[in-house]
Amino acid sequence: MSARIYQRPKNAMQSGKARTDDWVLEFEQSEARRADPLMGWTGSGDTQAQVSLNFPSKEAAQEYAAKHGIAARVHKTPAKSLKLQAYADNFR
């Protein structure tokens, strides 16, 4: 059983930064998805892929994974870069 640990990104549809300090542990799929012949929906028998655990820190998520024998990879949070631009730049 493997998982990935990452910091929740900012919602692109809103300007707020709520819950961006949380760290998430998500299990990776162990079984390929397949199309249902009747409805056409995709799914699999892997229920672990639906589980998402939230933690207050990266260390807490790593401790949980180690305690339960989960091979977890930590994805680094990308550096935030601001594009400083004046409104007048739209008319140049």
Side-chain angles (χ1 to χ4, degrees), residues 14-68:
Q14 298 178 353
S15 62
K17 295 182 181 180
R19 300 178 67 190
T20 57
D21 296 334
D22 292 348
W23 285 81
V24 180
L25 184 141
E26 284 185 348
F27 293 97
E28 295 179 356
Q29 286 190 345
S30 61
E31 183 178 312
R33 290 182 177 257
R34 58 187 177 278
D36 180 46
L38 179 63
M39 299 297 290
W41 298 341
T42 57
S44 69
D46 182 23
T47 57
Q48 286 287 6
Q50 301 172 5
V51 176
S52 174
L53 302 173
N54 296 324
F55 295 94
S57 67
K58 176 175 64 171
E59 291 77 20
Q62 289 175 330
E63 288 174 12
Y64 179 86
K67 180 180 178 182
H68 294 283

